[in-house]
Short mmCIF file of all heavy atoms in Angstrom, two decimals:
data_model
loop_
_atom_site.label_atom_id
_atom_site.label_comp_id
_atom_site.label_asym_id
_atom_site.label_seq_id
_atom_site.Cartn_x
_atom_site.Cartn_y
_atom_site.Cartn_z
N GLN B 208 48.68 -18.56 23.23
CA GLN B 208 49.52 -17.57 23.92
C GLN B 208 48.63 -16.44 24.43
O GLN B 208 48.74 -16.01 25.62
CB GLN B 208 50.54 -17.02 22.93
CG GLN B 208 51.56 -16.09 23.55
CD GLN B 208 52.27 -16.69 24.74
OE1 GLN B 208 52.76 -17.81 24.65
NE2 GLN B 208 52.29 -16.00 25.85
N PHE B 209 47.76 -16.02 23.56
CA PHE B 209 46.84 -14.93 23.88
C PHE B 209 45.94 -15.30 25.06
O PHE B 209 45.74 -14.52 25.99
CB PHE B 209 46.01 -14.63 22.63
CG PHE B 209 45.12 -13.48 22.77
CD1 PHE B 209 45.55 -12.17 22.54
CD2 PHE B 209 43.78 -13.64 23.08
CE1 PHE B 209 44.71 -11.13 22.67
CE2 PHE B 209 42.89 -12.57 23.18
CZ PHE B 209 43.41 -11.31 23.01
N VAL B 210 45.40 -16.54 25.01
CA VAL B 210 44.55 -16.99 26.11
C VAL B 210 45.28 -16.99 27.42
O VAL B 210 44.79 -16.51 28.43
CB VAL B 210 44.07 -18.48 25.81
CG1 VAL B 210 43.25 -19.00 26.98
CG2 VAL B 210 43.22 -18.48 24.54
N GLU B 211 46.51 -17.48 27.42
CA GLU B 211 47.34 -17.50 28.60
C GLU B 211 47.51 -16.13 29.15
O GLU B 211 47.49 -15.90 30.40
CB GLU B 211 48.67 -18.14 28.29
CG GLU B 211 49.20 -19.01 29.39
CD GLU B 211 50.39 -19.83 28.96
OE1 GLU B 211 50.39 -20.33 27.81
OE2 GLU B 211 51.29 -20.00 29.78
N ASP B 212 47.74 -15.16 28.26
CA ASP B 212 47.98 -13.76 28.69
C ASP B 212 46.79 -13.15 29.42
O ASP B 212 46.97 -12.45 30.41
CB ASP B 212 48.28 -12.89 27.47
CG ASP B 212 49.68 -13.11 26.96
OD1 ASP B 212 50.45 -13.77 27.72
OD2 ASP B 212 50.02 -12.60 25.90
N ILE B 213 45.57 -13.43 28.91
CA ILE B 213 44.46 -12.65 29.50
C ILE B 213 43.48 -13.44 30.36
O ILE B 213 42.81 -12.84 31.19
CB ILE B 213 43.69 -11.91 28.37
CG1 ILE B 213 42.97 -12.90 27.48
CG2 ILE B 213 44.61 -11.02 27.59
CD1 ILE B 213 41.97 -12.17 26.58
N ALA B 214 43.39 -14.73 30.20
CA ALA B 214 42.29 -15.43 30.82
C ALA B 214 42.38 -15.50 32.35
O ALA B 214 43.45 -15.78 32.88
CB ALA B 214 42.18 -16.87 30.26
N HIS B 215 41.27 -15.25 33.00
CA HIS B 215 41.18 -15.60 34.44
C HIS B 215 40.78 -17.07 34.55
O HIS B 215 41.35 -17.86 35.23
CB HIS B 215 40.15 -14.73 35.15
CG HIS B 215 40.54 -13.27 35.18
ND1 HIS B 215 39.68 -12.28 35.57
CD2 HIS B 215 41.71 -12.69 34.88
CE1 HIS B 215 40.30 -11.12 35.50
NE2 HIS B 215 41.51 -11.32 35.14
N ARG B 216 39.68 -17.36 33.81
CA ARG B 216 39.23 -18.77 33.77
C ARG B 216 38.89 -19.10 32.34
O ARG B 216 38.64 -18.24 31.47
CB ARG B 216 38.02 -18.96 34.67
CG ARG B 216 38.44 -19.25 36.13
CD ARG B 216 37.26 -19.73 36.89
NE ARG B 216 36.33 -18.66 37.13
CZ ARG B 216 35.14 -18.87 37.72
NH1 ARG B 216 34.77 -20.06 38.10
NH2 ARG B 216 34.30 -17.88 37.91
N VAL B 217 38.83 -20.41 32.04
CA VAL B 217 38.60 -20.93 30.73
C VAL B 217 37.45 -21.84 30.71
O VAL B 217 37.32 -22.64 31.66
CB VAL B 217 39.86 -21.62 30.17
CG1 VAL B 217 39.61 -22.19 28.79
CG2 VAL B 217 41.05 -20.66 30.09
N THR B 218 36.58 -21.74 29.73
CA THR B 218 35.46 -22.69 29.55
C THR B 218 35.70 -23.42 28.25
O THR B 218 35.94 -22.77 27.23
CB THR B 218 34.12 -21.97 29.51
OG1 THR B 218 33.90 -21.35 30.77
CG2 THR B 218 32.97 -22.93 29.19
N VAL B 219 35.71 -24.73 28.29
CA VAL B 219 35.90 -25.50 27.05
C VAL B 219 34.60 -26.08 26.62
O VAL B 219 33.91 -26.74 27.34
CB VAL B 219 36.92 -26.66 27.30
CG1 VAL B 219 37.31 -27.31 25.97
CG2 VAL B 219 38.17 -26.15 28.03
N LEU B 220 34.26 -25.80 25.33
CA LEU B 220 33.02 -26.32 24.71
C LEU B 220 33.41 -27.43 23.75
O LEU B 220 34.45 -27.38 23.10
CB LEU B 220 32.29 -25.24 23.97
CG LEU B 220 31.53 -24.20 24.70
CD1 LEU B 220 30.70 -23.41 23.73
CD2 LEU B 220 30.69 -24.78 25.82
N HIS B 221 32.53 -28.43 23.68
CA HIS B 221 32.74 -29.49 22.69
C HIS B 221 31.37 -29.98 22.29
O HIS B 221 30.59 -30.38 23.15
CB HIS B 221 33.59 -30.60 23.24
CG HIS B 221 33.82 -31.71 22.25
ND1 HIS B 221 34.27 -31.49 21.00
CD2 HIS B 221 33.66 -33.07 22.38
CE1 HIS B 221 34.39 -32.65 20.33
NE2 HIS B 221 34.03 -33.61 21.14
N GLN B 222 31.05 -29.94 21.03
CA GLN B 222 29.74 -30.36 20.49
C GLN B 222 28.59 -29.73 21.31
O GLN B 222 27.63 -30.46 21.64
CB GLN B 222 29.67 -31.87 20.49
CG GLN B 222 30.69 -32.46 19.52
CD GLN B 222 30.70 -34.02 19.48
OE1 GLN B 222 30.11 -34.66 20.32
NE2 GLN B 222 31.35 -34.54 18.44
N GLY B 223 28.71 -28.48 21.58
CA GLY B 223 27.62 -27.77 22.19
C GLY B 223 27.52 -28.00 23.71
O GLY B 223 26.64 -27.45 24.34
N ARG B 224 28.39 -28.82 24.25
CA ARG B 224 28.33 -29.10 25.69
C ARG B 224 29.55 -28.56 26.39
O ARG B 224 30.60 -28.35 25.81
CB ARG B 224 28.26 -30.60 25.94
CG ARG B 224 26.98 -31.24 25.62
CD ARG B 224 27.07 -32.75 25.80
NE ARG B 224 25.81 -33.39 25.49
CZ ARG B 224 24.80 -33.46 26.36
NH1 ARG B 224 24.87 -32.92 27.56
NH2 ARG B 224 23.68 -34.09 25.98
N LEU B 225 29.41 -28.36 27.72
CA LEU B 225 30.54 -27.93 28.55
C LEU B 225 31.41 -29.16 28.76
O LEU B 225 30.96 -30.18 29.28
CB LEU B 225 30.05 -27.43 29.89
CG LEU B 225 31.13 -26.85 30.76
CD1 LEU B 225 31.35 -25.39 30.40
CD2 LEU B 225 30.76 -27.00 32.22
N LEU B 226 32.69 -29.00 28.40
CA LEU B 226 33.58 -30.13 28.52
C LEU B 226 34.42 -29.98 29.80
O LEU B 226 34.62 -30.95 30.53
CB LEU B 226 34.52 -30.23 27.29
CG LEU B 226 35.37 -31.46 27.18
CD1 LEU B 226 34.53 -32.67 26.94
CD2 LEU B 226 36.41 -31.29 26.11
N SER B 227 34.87 -28.77 30.06
CA SER B 227 35.70 -28.57 31.23
C SER B 227 35.72 -27.07 31.51
O SER B 227 35.42 -26.22 30.68
CB SER B 227 37.12 -29.05 30.89
OG SER B 227 37.95 -28.85 32.00
N GLU B 228 36.05 -26.78 32.78
CA GLU B 228 36.09 -25.37 33.19
C GLU B 228 37.05 -25.16 34.32
O GLU B 228 37.22 -26.05 35.13
CB GLU B 228 34.67 -24.90 33.60
CG GLU B 228 34.51 -23.43 33.73
CD GLU B 228 33.03 -23.05 33.91
OE1 GLU B 228 32.55 -23.15 35.07
OE2 GLU B 228 32.41 -22.69 32.93
N GLY B 229 37.75 -24.01 34.33
CA GLY B 229 38.62 -23.69 35.44
C GLY B 229 39.78 -22.87 34.95
O GLY B 229 39.69 -22.23 33.88
N SER B 230 40.88 -22.88 35.73
CA SER B 230 42.05 -22.14 35.26
C SER B 230 42.63 -22.81 34.08
O SER B 230 42.39 -23.98 33.82
CB SER B 230 43.09 -22.10 36.39
OG SER B 230 43.59 -23.44 36.55
N LEU B 231 43.40 -22.03 33.28
CA LEU B 231 43.94 -22.61 32.08
C LEU B 231 44.82 -23.82 32.38
O LEU B 231 44.75 -24.85 31.69
CB LEU B 231 44.79 -21.53 31.35
CG LEU B 231 45.37 -21.99 30.00
CD1 LEU B 231 44.30 -22.33 29.01
CD2 LEU B 231 46.31 -20.93 29.43
N GLU B 232 45.55 -23.72 33.52
CA GLU B 232 46.42 -24.84 33.94
C GLU B 232 45.59 -26.08 34.09
O GLU B 232 45.91 -27.18 33.60
CB GLU B 232 47.06 -24.42 35.26
CG GLU B 232 48.43 -24.96 35.47
CD GLU B 232 49.33 -24.94 34.26
OE1 GLU B 232 49.43 -23.89 33.51
OE2 GLU B 232 49.97 -25.97 33.99
N ARG B 233 44.51 -25.97 34.84
CA ARG B 233 43.64 -27.12 35.16
C ARG B 233 43.07 -27.70 33.87
O ARG B 233 43.08 -28.91 33.67
CB ARG B 233 42.54 -26.67 36.07
CG ARG B 233 42.19 -27.69 37.15
CD ARG B 233 40.79 -27.51 37.70
NE ARG B 233 39.86 -28.31 36.87
CZ ARG B 233 38.53 -28.28 37.01
NH1 ARG B 233 37.99 -27.46 37.91
NH2 ARG B 233 37.78 -29.05 36.30
N VAL B 234 42.54 -26.80 33.05
CA VAL B 234 41.86 -27.24 31.84
C VAL B 234 42.83 -27.99 30.91
O VAL B 234 42.50 -29.02 30.35
CB VAL B 234 41.25 -25.99 31.12
CG1 VAL B 234 40.93 -26.33 29.72
CG2 VAL B 234 40.01 -25.57 31.88
N LYS B 235 44.05 -27.43 30.85
CA LYS B 235 45.07 -28.03 29.97
C LYS B 235 45.38 -29.47 30.38
O LYS B 235 45.72 -30.29 29.55
CB LYS B 235 46.40 -27.23 30.10
CG LYS B 235 46.61 -26.21 28.98
CD LYS B 235 47.91 -25.57 29.22
CE LYS B 235 48.41 -24.69 28.12
NZ LYS B 235 49.55 -23.90 28.54
N ASN B 236 45.28 -29.76 31.67
CA ASN B 236 45.63 -31.06 32.15
C ASN B 236 44.45 -31.99 32.28
O ASN B 236 44.60 -33.13 32.74
CB ASN B 236 46.36 -30.94 33.47
CG ASN B 236 47.68 -30.15 33.30
OD1 ASN B 236 48.37 -30.34 32.33
ND2 ASN B 236 47.98 -29.32 34.26
N ASP B 237 43.26 -31.50 31.95
CA ASP B 237 42.09 -32.31 31.99
C ASP B 237 42.15 -33.34 30.87
O ASP B 237 42.20 -32.95 29.69
CB ASP B 237 40.85 -31.43 31.87
CG ASP B 237 39.56 -32.18 32.04
OD1 ASP B 237 39.54 -33.41 31.76
OD2 ASP B 237 38.55 -31.55 32.44
#
Side-chain angles (χ1 to χ4, degrees):
Chain B
Q208 184 56 49
F209 185 84
V210 175
E211 217 169 323
D212 283 350
I213 66 168
H215 295 168
R216 274 192 292 173
V217 175
T218 295
V219 189
L220 285 191
H221 180 51
Q222 295 179 346
R224 287 176 180 278
L225 184 87
L226 189 68
S227 180
E228 193 169 81
S230 69
L231 183 62
E232 211 43 44
R233 219 203 90 185
V234 162
K235 261 181 170 169
N236 297 321
D237 185 333

